[in-house]
């Protein structure tokens, strides 16, 4: 996100990546009296083959018309993975003048039908800024009833950091929080001028110290599959796999599905959650 006096997203990202690389990691001799946890700016400049002044200006978020070859060299020096490298290119060379105001996002009809048809698995569709565009009854039973939340507040990051129930639901709540922050950073690289993103980051920074600290660390990553552990107040402990599926024609909408290993205790508890969340289960 842009800020007065420079590109704050670029500045914070480079500082955080530099802090993670030790001299030993970079093949440099260790020295005494170091005042920084990772590499010094001059060491990154040396490894990347650029002048110290040039790198300092870049890390301060100043516009230096950085070339692709220089960015490649800095990515190698900082040992960035593919996701981090892509993010570096986006924030170091933002497009100017061609940005259009973001229009209200609408869920793809096909995705809406998929979510509505799933009755045994939690399913959500996430849009920009981790906004919840749609959720089925199972997802609302597992997380929270997003349909009861004001439209502008239906957001995964808001749920993770501002809903007290989330800290009990996620067994690894710090991991869930860091993951949400990392995905917001990726989004910031694509849409640095999104006013709703700025509003969201500002509110979460003011209201949660963990968010404020993790945002400053500049982590970026996106995991399309894996496993998460939950402690649900009704059905107990769950170990659920997740898959994040993104349509090729709309990369800003993602279908998220949770599954359980067949025959496992989690599968049985997921079935119990389905029964509990079914409208027919309501007492008349």
């Amino acid at each position: 996100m842009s800020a007065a006096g420079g590109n704050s997203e670029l500045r914070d990202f480079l500082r955080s990546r530099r802090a993670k690389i030790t001299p030993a990691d970079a093949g440099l001799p260790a020295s005494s009296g170091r005042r920084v946890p990772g590499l010094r700016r001059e060491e990154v400049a040396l490894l990347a083959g650029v002048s110290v002044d040039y790198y300092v200006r870049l890390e301060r978020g100043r516009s230096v018309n950085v070339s692709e070859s220089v960015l490649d060299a800095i990515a190698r020096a900082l040992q960035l993975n593919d996701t981090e490298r892509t993010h570096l290119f986006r924030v170091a060379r933002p497009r100017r003048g061609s940005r259009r105001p973001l229009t209200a996002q609408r869920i793809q009809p096909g995705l809406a039908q998929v979510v509505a048809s799933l009755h045994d698995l939690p399913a959500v569709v996430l849009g920009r800024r981790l906004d919840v565009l749609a959720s089925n009854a199972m997802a609302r039973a597992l997380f929270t009833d997003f349909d009861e939340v004001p439209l502008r507040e239906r957001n995964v990051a808001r749920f993770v950091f501002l809903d007290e129930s989330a800290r009990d639901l996620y067994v690894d709540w710090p991991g869930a929080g860091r993951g949400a922050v990392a995905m917001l950073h990726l989004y910031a690289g694509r849409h640095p001028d999104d006013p709703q993103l700025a509003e969201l980051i500002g509110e979460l920074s003011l209201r949660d110290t963990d968010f404020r600290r993790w945002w400053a660390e500049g982590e970026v990553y996106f995991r399309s599959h894996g496993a998460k552990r939950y402690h649900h107040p009704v059905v107990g402990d769950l170990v659920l796999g997740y898959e994040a599926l993104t349509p090729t024609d709309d990369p800003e909408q993602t279908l998220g599905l949770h599954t359980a290993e067949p025959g496992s205790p989690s599968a049985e508890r997921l079935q119990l959650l389905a029964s509990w969340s079914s409208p027919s289960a309501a007492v008349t």
Side-chain angles (χ1 to χ4, degrees):
M1 293 169 30
S2 53
N7 183 332
S8 62
E9 185 70 21
L10 174 62
R11 179 177 66 242
D12 294 343
F13 180 69
L14 287 176
R15 287 177 177 174
S16 65
R17 298 310 89 192
R18 178 165 58 85
K20 293 176 70 69
I21 304 296
T22 66
D25 293 334
L28 297 174
S31 59
S32 59
R34 300 185 68 88
R35 294 183 295 176
V36 294
L39 295 178
R40 299 186 177 103
R41 292 188 182 93
E42 56 266 31
E43 290 170 331
V44 176
L46 173 66
L47 292 168
V50 299
S51 72
V52 175
D53 178 66
Y54 186 95
Y55 180 77
V56 168
R57 284 188 290 129
L58 182 65
E59 190 176 287
R60 287 177 177 170
R62 308 297 182 184
S63 176
V64 292
N65 297 317
V66 61
S67 68
E68 182 173 331
S69 61
V70 168
L71 289 177
D72 271 328
I74 291 173
R76 289 193 299 271
L78 296 176
Q79 301 179 19
L80 304 185
N81 60 33
D82 290 343
T83 301
E84 293 169 334
R85 181 184 179 279
T86 298
H87 185 70
L88 172 63
F89 272 69
R90 281 177 177 155
V91 299
R93 306 170 74 185
R95 292 173 296 172
R96 301 297 182 190
S98 61
R99 294 188 182 276
R100 298 177 180 177
L102 294 174
T103 58
Q105 199 169 18
R106 298 284 185 265
I107 185 172
Q108 286 196 5
L111 287 181
Q113 292 174 6
V114 169
V115 171
S117 68
L118 293 172
H119 304 293
D120 299 326
L121 300 176
V124 298
V125 175
L126 300 182
R128 304 183 188 119
R129 303 169 295 271
L130 300 182
D131 288 346
V132 178
L133 302 181
S135 60
N136 66 359
M138 283 287 285
R140 295 191 292 272
L142 177 61
F143 299 106
T144 191
D145 192 345
F146 291 108
D147 287 356
E148 294 297 318
V149 176
L151 184 62
R152 195 173 178 85
E153 298 179 8
R154 296 176 190 174
N155 180 276
V156 169
R158 282 180 177 274
F159 170 69
V160 170
F161 286 99
L162 302 183
D163 192 320
E164 287 298 322
S165 68
R167 297 176 185 262
D168 296 323
L169 176 65
Y170 291 98
V171 174
D172 179 16
W173 182 84
R178 286 180 175 274
V181 170
M183 287 188 285
L184 286 177
H185 265 297
L186 279 179
Y187 177 81
R190 296 193 300 270
H191 297 290
D193 301 319
D194 181 355
Q196 291 186 50
L197 175 65
E199 179 183 337
L200 176 65
I201 299 308
E203 179 180 1
L204 294 179
S205 296
L206 286 173
R207 297 180 61 179
D208 192 279
T209 57
D210 289 319
F211 179 89
R212 186 164 61 249
R213 183 174 73 255
W214 294 336
W215 182 260
E217 292 177 359
E219 293 282 353
V220 292
Y221 60 82
F222 175 77
R223 295 187 180 127
S224 61
H225 64 278
K228 292 183 180 180
R229 294 179 297 148
Y230 300 95
H231 181 75
H232 192 272
V234 174
V235 301
D237 292 334
L238 295 162
V239 179
L240 301 180
Y242 67 89
E243 298 286 340
L245 310 174
T246 302
T248 56
D249 60 340
D250 190 348
E252 294 194 333
Q253 294 193 27
T254 299
L255 172 64
L257 300 173
H258 281 71
T259 61
E261 186 71 24
S264 67
S266 292
E268 296 176 1
R269 291 165 187 160
L270 204 58
Q271 290 179 353
L272 178 60
L273 184 64
S275 300
W276 177 75
S277 63
S278 172
S280 61
V283 177
T284 59

